[in-house]
Amino acid sequence: MRTVGQAERITMVSEREPITNRLLLALPPATLARLTPEMELIQTESGAVIDHVNGLIQHLYFVNRGIVSMVKVMRDGRSVEVGAIGVEGITDSNALFGVDVAITETMVQVPGSALKISRTFLSRELERDRDLRRMLERYWRFAFGQLAQTAACNRLHTLEERCCRWLLTSHDSALADTFPLTHEFLATMLGTTRSSVSLTAKVLHRAGYIDYVRGIITIVDRPGLEETSCECYAETTTEMNRLFGPETQPGG
């Protein structure tokens, strides 16, 4: 399996792009100023594995663009997403509060960029910076709530509703109307088969909500996706805005 540390999967960025991670932007300027020199801006590609289950967590990643998913792999090889991290968050936030090994596979699903930081350094900063600790504790509570929301969503809502929710979430963090997303990866996210995803994508395409060509998704009618999505997307957005403040939607 590919790992994020392999040179062909992740590349250092020579020129820094603007910070768009909402968690970082919510920090006091003095806190962010101390963190910035310790972070490395990297580009991520679909399928790159950041952390393997039970592996030691040495670095954390503030997602700056794209989607990173927490994936549970079963003994028979089947896998399903149990949580997703976009531009609102950080990977493996539980590692800052005493858990130093990964609980799930952490994998890039929508490519983009991330700010990589040493877990040891960030943990030390938590001890000295009350504002940083308070914000990360609030984010950890938010992230745990999203795990519960995803579990309920996967159990109670239709595939079409869940697909719309995931496309909206991806749109928010891709920071573009068009982004790479294969049916295979979408099937992993939704815990279903590729053929089921293909049928659902055709329904959404015929409705005029999306276009897709060879693994590239274009969001055409965002309000249509929002109307068809289950309640979970709106609830997640509400909680996120409560934590970070409102944000303009893509294309808005």
Side-chain angles (χ1 to χ4, degrees):
M1 184 176 287
R2 296 167 296 185
T3 64
V4 82
Q6 292 174 327
E8 70 274 19
R9 305 308 302 168
I10 198 161
T11 306
M12 291 299 302
V13 177
S14 58
E15 295 182 4
R16 299 186 69 85
E17 64 184 59
I19 293 176
T20 57
N21 180 275
R22 295 182 70 181
L23 178 55
L24 288 175
L25 293 176
L27 295 173
T31 298
L32 183 58
R34 283 198 306 275
L35 297 184
T36 300
E38 302 296 327
M39 296 189 294
E40 299 177 12
L41 181 65
I42 57 178
Q43 291 181 324
T44 56
E45 293 188 22
S46 297
V49 177
I50 290 176
D51 287 306
H52 291 280
V53 64
N54 295 325
L56 183 64
I57 300 169
Q58 296 181 317
H59 297 91
L60 290 91
Y61 298 78
F62 292 95
V63 179
N64 209 48
R65 181 167 41 87
I67 291 280
V68 172
S69 291
M70 294 173 285
V71 177
K72 174 64 178 178
V73 181
M74 306 303 285
R75 289 181 180 179
D76 62 4
R78 290 181 298 170
S79 59
V80 64
E81 182 210 51
V82 295
I85 305 124
V87 294
E88 79 288 344
I90 184 174
T91 62
D92 294 300
S93 57
N94 53 290
L96 297 172
F97 303 100
V99 180
D100 60 358
V101 296
I103 299 172
T104 63
E105 296 282 317
T106 308
M107 179 185 299
V108 177
Q109 297 293 0
V110 176
S113 62
L115 290 149
K116 176 182 175 182
I117 192 166
S118 162
R119 177 177 66 87
T120 302
F121 173 81
L122 195 54
S123 295
R124 285 201 304 264
E125 286 297 302
L126 284 181
E127 297 301 320
R128 60 175 287 190
D129 190 324
R130 182 179 301 177
D131 290 331
L132 176 62
R133 185 174 186 87
R134 183 182 300 116
M135 178 56 73
L136 285 170
E137 285 175 344
R138 291 174 63 196
Y139 172 75
W140 184 87
R141 181 184 182 281
F142 164 81
F144 185 81
Q146 295 319 298
L147 291 177
Q149 189 83 41
T150 297
C153 184
N154 288 342
R155 177 66 178 84
L156 299 174
H157 296 146
T158 68
L159 180 58
E160 185 175 330
E161 290 173 328
R162 292 188 289 122
C163 188
C164 289
R165 175 199 178 193
W166 212 92
L167 289 171
L168 288 165
T169 299
S170 300
H171 188 210
D172 290 345
S173 288
L175 305 182
D177 291 335
T178 298
F179 49 90
L181 185 63
T182 66
H183 288 185
E184 179 182 3
F185 278 143
L186 194 51
T188 297
M189 297 304 93
L190 297 171
T192 188
T193 63
R194 188 183 184 282
S195 59
S196 295
V197 167
S198 295
L199 290 173
T200 302
K202 287 179 181 178
V203 170
L204 299 179
H205 175 69
R206 285 198 297 266
Y209 299 159
I210 64 170
D211 278 335
Y212 63 92
V213 179
R214 297 180 181 177
I216 303 295
I217 295 280
T218 299
I219 305 299
V220 177
D221 182 359
R222 182 181 173 92
L225 286 176
E226 291 177 346
E227 185 176 348
T228 307
S229 174
C230 57
E231 67 200 57
C232 298
Y233 175 74
E235 291 211 6
T236 297
T237 302
T238 298
E239 287 299 315
M240 201 180 301
N241 289 339
R242 185 176 293 126
L243 179 61
F244 302 117
E247 181 182 61
T248 301
Q249 296 295 347

